[in-house]
């Protein structure tokens, strides 16, 4: 009898011990799994998530986490399995649709993405949640329907919707949507009595072709040093895939204060999380040819665009010199309304009005504002101060004012 009682108690202890081991809080497992997966420890994180799913197979957040982990690894088919389970388990939970659509975009399956967007709009009701509208806009973008993409995302931007990379996406749409425009600018430079003021004006026309992207023809004329000169230029911005584009420039002038020949080329690449990298070359054919290697790194964060540019100017006689510019823009109601500030040393290689070989050092600050008055009309104004070193004991102070407008059609 005593032996039987001991055996019975042992069985009871084992049963309760087993139940205690299987008893857990799925929310705690979700937190642990997420921490591992966000550290790219996908296998370890999924092991914990699978343990929770054995007891709670319809826990949508865990299903979404597992699906996203597979998507981040590029295992899109596996991700689809779990994300489909997530939207079936919780058909009115928008996070499941968002993850599902993202995975299908990364897989390049636009037709399936469209079906999930339609399911989301049907199950989530009206108004359609902003994250779904944003992804519907991206679907149009991937299909090169830029007008439709813009019409969906522009109201989101105006009302303050926040998502990583939104401003960069808007700027890309702006680049693709621009078709025809004409514009004019006027620059006034005063040198505080050292020189007579410079007056510079330009007119330009812009169109767009599939081969060149935006194509801009520009004529710049200036009065300075008791002389008059004209510079003619052509710019192109061809697209290179969905994440990159180029800048190409060619121009020339017969005036002594403009380069006889100027050439420029850069490649821009958009990265994840709103980053943009650029590398390029400029040639300025003044009295002495100037070769410039240029590069920049930019970041879209919220309504800000921040950019740091470095220019390296090798010279076999004078040695290598460099210049830098930091630009910050804050965007307001649209992706074309902004306030900007620029701080720099040296002269930008894209500033065609100055001969870099004539300056030793230059320090400058510049502020400006651009406003889209209507869908067809834009105005802008900038002003700045620079202190240019002409020789070791000769400095020239310059105040610049720039005004311009653009009309689109």
């Amino acid at each position: 009898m005593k032996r039987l009682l001991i055996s019975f108690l042992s069985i009871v202890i084992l049963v309760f011990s087993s139940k205690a081991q299987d008893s857990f809080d799925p929310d705690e497992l979700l937190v642990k799994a997420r921490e591992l997966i966000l550290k790219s420890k996908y296998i370890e994180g999924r092991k914990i998530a699978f343990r929770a799913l054995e007891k709670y197979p319809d826990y949508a957040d865990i299903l979404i986490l597992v699906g996203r982990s597979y998507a981040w690894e590029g295992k899109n088919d596996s991700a689809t399995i779990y994300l489909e389970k997530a939207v079936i388990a919780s058909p009115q939970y928008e996070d499941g649709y968002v993850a599902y659509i993202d995975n299908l975009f990364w897989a390049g399956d636009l037709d399936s993405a469209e079906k999930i967007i339609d399911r989301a709009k049907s199950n989530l009701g009206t108004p359609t949640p902003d994250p779904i509208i944003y992804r519907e806009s991206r679907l149009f973008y991937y299909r090169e329907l830029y007008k439709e993409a813009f019409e969906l995302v522009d109201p989101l931007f105006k009302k303050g919707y926040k998502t990583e990379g939104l401003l960069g996406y808007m700027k890309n749409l702006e680049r693709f949507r621009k078709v025809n425009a004409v514009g004019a600018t006027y620059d006034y430079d005063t040198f505080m009595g050292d020189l007579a003021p410079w007056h510079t004006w330009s007119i330009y026309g812009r169109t767009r072709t599939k081969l060149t992207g935006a194509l801009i023809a520009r004529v710049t004329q200036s009065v300075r040093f008791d002389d008059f000169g004209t510079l003619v230029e052509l710019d192109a911005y061809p697209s290179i895939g969905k994440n990159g584009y180029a800048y190409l420039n060619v121009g020339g002038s017969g005036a002594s204060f403009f380069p006889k020949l100027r050439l420029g080329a850069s490649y821009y690449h958009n990265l994840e999380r709103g980053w943009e990298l650029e590398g390029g070359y400029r040639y300025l054919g003044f009295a002495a040819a100037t070769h410039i290697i240029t590069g920049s790194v930019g970041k879209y964060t919220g309504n800000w665009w921040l950019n740091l540019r470095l220019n390296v100017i090798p010279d076999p006689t004078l040695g290598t010199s460099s210049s830098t510019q930091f630009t910050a823009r804050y965007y307001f109601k649209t992706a074309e309304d902004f306030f900007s500030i620029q701080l720099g040393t040296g002269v930008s290689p894209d500033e065609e009005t100055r001969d870099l070989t004539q300056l030793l050092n230059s320090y400058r600050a510049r502020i400006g504002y651009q406003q889209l008055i209507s869908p067809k009309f834009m105005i802008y104004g900038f002003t700045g101060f620079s202190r240019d070193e002409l020789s070791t004991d000769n400095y020239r102070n310059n105040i610049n004012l720039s005004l311009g407008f653009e009309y689109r059609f």
Side-chain angles (χ1 to χ4, degrees), residues 121-273:
K121 293 167 71 174
S122 175
N123 291 332
L124 298 175
T126 54
T128 302
D130 291 346
I132 303 301
I133 294 175
Y134 174 65
R135 281 157 179 82
E136 187 175 16
S137 171
R138 300 292 303 216
L139 177 66
F140 284 125
Y141 172 79
Y142 292 136
R143 288 176 168 169
E144 300 184 4
L145 299 171
Y146 304 120
K147 178 176 179 291
E148 292 83 351
F150 180 81
E151 288 174 350
L152 282 177
V153 78
D154 186 49
L156 296 183
F157 186 83
K158 287 179 177 178
K159 75 177 185 178
Y161 171 66
K162 303 294 184 183
T163 190
E164 190 174 66
L166 176 60
L167 181 56
Y169 173 59
M170 294 287 291
K171 297 302 290 183
N172 264 344
L173 277 176
E174 177 189 323
R175 180 168 57 89
F176 282 122
R177 288 176 60 250
K178 286 182 177 179
V179 181
N180 299 314
V182 293
T185 64
Y186 170 73
D187 280 76
Y188 175 81
D189 289 271
T190 179
F191 299 94
M192 302 182 181
D194 293 336
L195 292 172
W198 293 355
H199 300 273
T200 305
W201 55 92
S202 68
I203 57 172
Y204 65 87
R206 185 183 67 241
T207 188
R208 178 176 178 81
T209 71
K210 284 190 174 182
L211 178 62
T212 64
L215 186 65
I216 304 170
R218 180 171 50 253
V219 176
T220 301
Q221 295 185 316
S222 186
V223 176
R224 62 184 71 172
F225 305 119
D226 297 323
D227 199 2
F228 174 83
T230 301
L231 173 68
V232 179
E233 294 177 273
L234 187 66
D235 298 337
Y237 293 84
S239 296
I240 302 176
K242 287 296 180 186
N243 295 317
Y245 66 96
Y247 159 74
L248 303 172
N249 166 268
V250 61
S253 172
S256 61
F257 49 81
F258 282 140
K260 292 181 172 58
L261 174 67
R262 62 174 289 135
L263 301 170
S266 280
Y267 172 70
Y268 295 82
H269 192 82
N270 296 315
L271 304 173
E272 295 181 358
R273 303 182 184 276

Side-chain angles (χ1 to χ4, degrees), residues 1-9:
M1 184 69 180
K2 184 178 180 181
R3 186 177 295 174
L4 184 62
L5 182 60
I6 291 172
S7 298
F8 176 75
L9 290 174

Side-chain angles (χ1 to χ4, degrees), residues 274-304:
W275 289 94
E276 182 181 68
L277 296 179
E278 178 235 346
Y281 167 79
R282 306 288 188 270
Y283 171 87
L284 300 178
F286 286 101
T290 302
H291 304 272
I292 306 167
I293 299 169
T294 185
S296 69
V297 56
K299 169 68 173 175
Y300 293 99
T301 175
N303 283 42
W304 286 94

Side-chain angles (χ1 to χ4, degrees), residues 340 342 365-369 381-385 399-402:
S340 75
Q342 184 181 74
R366 187 171 170 85
I367 60 173
Y369 182 75
F382 297 86
T383 187
F385 172 82
I399 295 177
N400 168 264
L401 175 65
S402 300

Side-chain angles (χ1 to χ4, degrees), residues 279-342:
Y281 167 79
R282 306 288 188 270
Y283 171 87
L284 300 178
F286 286 101
T290 302
H291 304 272
I292 306 167
I293 299 169
T294 185
S296 69
V297 56
K299 169 68 173 175
Y300 293 99
T301 175
N303 283 42
W304 286 94
W305 176 68
L306 308 174
N307 183 270
L308 181 64
R309 174 177 294 280
L310 172 65
N311 310 300
V312 178
I313 309 167
D315 189 295
T317 303
L318 302 175
T320 299
S321 61
S322 64
S323 65
T324 58
Q325 289 86 40
F326 172 74
T327 304
R329 290 179 183 174
Y330 183 83
Y331 289 86
F332 295 97
K333 193 174 180 181
T334 77
E336 296 187 78
D337 304 332
F338 62 81
F339 167 80
S340 75
I341 182 169
Q342 184 181 74

